[in-house]
Amino acid sequence: MATGKSRHTEQKDAITEALREADDFISASDLYAQLRAQHRTVGLATVYRQLNSLAESGSADTISMGGRQLYRLCVETPKHHHHLVCEGCGKTVEIEPPDGDWMRAIAAENGFTISRHVLEVFGLCSDCQKKKKAGKQSKQGEQAQQARQGE
């Protein structure tokens, strides 16, 4: 009979270690590919189960980005936290959660009570903003050159 306690396996250790080695958030399929490249014998379903288990226990962060669920091991900040997430490169920065009073007030104004919350702020990091600006300038230069050639 199951006791509800998770058993310790080499596959779970491999998944946790690979997640620890990931530079940033990573998808289950990318983590699986990384494990396979290291010749680790682990199934994709096991990767998904372990990542979800780590997220449920609070040992891993999870965000949804570009239609994919991404995961990152919580080592530095085991307390509840939120993220700024770059939509260009995936860089994440941990940020302090909003004030609980503010959240309760907003909820109350709208007839809600809070049972849980998730907050991720998406945008572009400074490096991606520079790349985007440089790309626009380059494209404008090309268009100007084409216009001159067409005259």
Side-chain angles (χ1 to χ4, degrees):
M1 180 181 279
T3 62
K5 200 172 188 180
S6 177
R7 63 188 180 110
H8 186 78
T9 67
E10 285 184 38
Q11 290 84 5
K12 288 180 183 181
D13 287 345
I15 293 164
T16 302
E17 184 58 33
L19 194 58
R20 183 176 287 112
E21 292 170 359
D23 291 333
D24 223 325
F25 281 91
I26 188 169
S27 70
S29 58
D30 289 345
L31 191 67
Y32 172 74
Q34 182 179 318
L35 289 163
R36 298 294 295 166
Q38 296 171 355
H39 306 291
R40 296 313 246 337
T41 306
V42 60
L44 182 57
T46 302
V47 171
Y48 275 102
R49 274 193 306 274
Q50 181 62 9
L51 290 174
N52 287 326
S53 176
L54 288 168
E56 287 173 12
S57 73
S59 298
D61 288 327
T62 181
I63 61 171
S64 181
M65 189 168 138
R68 295 174 24 167
Q69 202 64 27
L70 306 176
Y71 301 85
R72 183 178 74 172
L73 201 59
C74 291
V75 227
E76 301 152 10
T77 312
K79 67 180 175 64
H80 185 71
H81 57 277
H82 304 283
H83 305 97
L84 294 172
V85 182
C86 180
E87 294 174 306
C89 67
K91 175 183 177 180
T92 59
V93 176
E94 292 181 4
I95 58 174
E96 289 297 316
D99 180 78
D101 293 336
W102 173 82
M103 287 191 298
R104 283 187 289 281
I106 294 295
E109 285 174 21
N110 292 284
F112 280 75
T113 58
I114 298 174
S115 60
R116 64 186 179 88
H117 73 274
V118 176
L119 176 66
E120 310 301 339
V121 181
F122 293 88
L124 292 177
C125 70
S126 58
D127 291 340
C128 288
Q129 288 175 54
K130 289 174 191 170
K131 288 178 188 173
K132 185 175 182 180
K133 186 176 180 180
K136 280 184 180 179
Q137 290 173 345
S138 175
K139 187 173 183 176
Q140 288 171 346
E142 289 173 10
Q143 289 172 343
Q145 184 179 5
Q146 289 173 350
R148 284 191 299 272
Q149 290 174 349
E151 294 177 349

